[in-house]
Amino acid sequence: MTFRKENKALKKEIDKLNFAEKKLSNVQSELGHTNEKLEENIEKFRKLDSNLKQLGKSNIKGLEALQKKSKQIMATIHEDLIRHEKEVLNKVFDYLEFNDKQEGFTEEEFEEFWKRMPDSYLQRFKDSGLTFEKIAGKDGIIDQGEFTDMVDRLAEDEGMNGGSIGDVDLK
């Protein structure tokens, strides 16, 4: 081969290498930019992850506080419901008690008491196993203290089960 042909072949080879170098340089540059973008995205994800962890912790604290408040509200509502149930029972007792001159409930007045109460109370009374005789004791009269003991028990049961359903008849 002649020198010219060799020179031309080498020049062609150098041009190819220069072209390849440019391409590789562009690829390297693009890879550098891509790498920078990936590093930026990784940093963004780290910040996001950190923020999500903090948000999760604050949400958990918020949910715990909300749950605590909810329990307090439910306890207050439950106490109010029991207080209401006791008031219902005591109003009927007072109504019947003050309509006669005798202190306490006779068995007849006690039966009248249950006729005026919502069905849910009567059922709860029957389910409790209590009877007039058990409540009144030896004297055969239910006094205010004995009635209050019964009321406490029934109102708590009624309150635990959502409160009385029917109306009270005070007529």
Side-chain angles (χ1 to χ4, degrees), residues 41-98:
N41 285 338
I42 287 171
E43 188 57 34
K44 287 178 185 177
F45 279 121
R46 283 185 183 141
K47 286 180 184 176
L48 178 63
D49 184 53
S50 174
N51 289 340
L52 287 173
K53 284 179 184 174
Q54 289 176 0
L55 181 63
K57 288 177 186 175
S58 70
N59 279 346
I60 288 171
K61 288 179 185 174
L63 288 173
E64 288 171 347
L66 183 62
Q67 184 181 31
K68 183 178 178 182
K69 186 74 169 172
S70 175
K71 285 181 181 179
Q72 290 171 341
I73 290 169
M74 289 303 294
T76 301
I77 290 171
H78 178 72
E79 289 169 11
D80 289 346
L81 185 58
I82 290 172
R83 188 172 27 262
H84 168 75
E85 299 303 328
K86 287 180 180 182
E87 287 173 8
V88 167
L89 291 164
N90 281 308
K91 280 182 183 179
V92 175
F93 178 83
D94 290 343
Y95 176 80
L96 293 173
E97 172 63 14
F98 292 116

Side-chain angles (χ1 to χ4, degrees), residues 7-8 12-13 15 28 35 43 51-52 67 91 97 103 120 123 129 137 141 169-170:
N7 200 15
K8 199 174 182 180
K12 211 177 195 182
E13 201 58 38
D15 288 343
Q28 181 182 9
N35 195 30
E43 188 57 34
N51 289 340
L52 287 173
Q67 184 181 31
K91 280 182 183 179
E97 172 63 14
E103 194 165 314
S120 61
Q123 189 59 51
I141 300 290
D169 181 8
L170 290 178

Side-chain angles (χ1 to χ4, degrees), residues 89-143:
L89 291 164
N90 281 308
K91 280 182 183 179
V92 175
F93 178 83
D94 290 343
Y95 176 80
L96 293 173
E97 172 63 14
F98 292 116
N99 278 341
D100 68 3
K101 299 196 185 337
Q102 181 184 353
E103 194 165 314
F105 267 0
T106 63
E107 188 167 4
E108 183 180 305
E109 290 172 318
F110 192 65
E111 288 174 14
E112 181 64 25
F113 170 80
W114 287 113
K115 288 178 187 175
R116 295 173 182 265
M117 297 306 300
D119 291 341
S120 61
Y121 278 104
L122 181 56
Q123 189 59 51
R124 202 152 322 282
F125 176 72
K126 288 177 180 178
D127 292 346
S128 74
L130 294 173
T131 62
F132 175 82
E133 292 77 20
K134 287 181 183 177
I135 298 167
K138 292 180 183 179
D139 65 358
I141 300 290
I142 296 177
D143 63 32

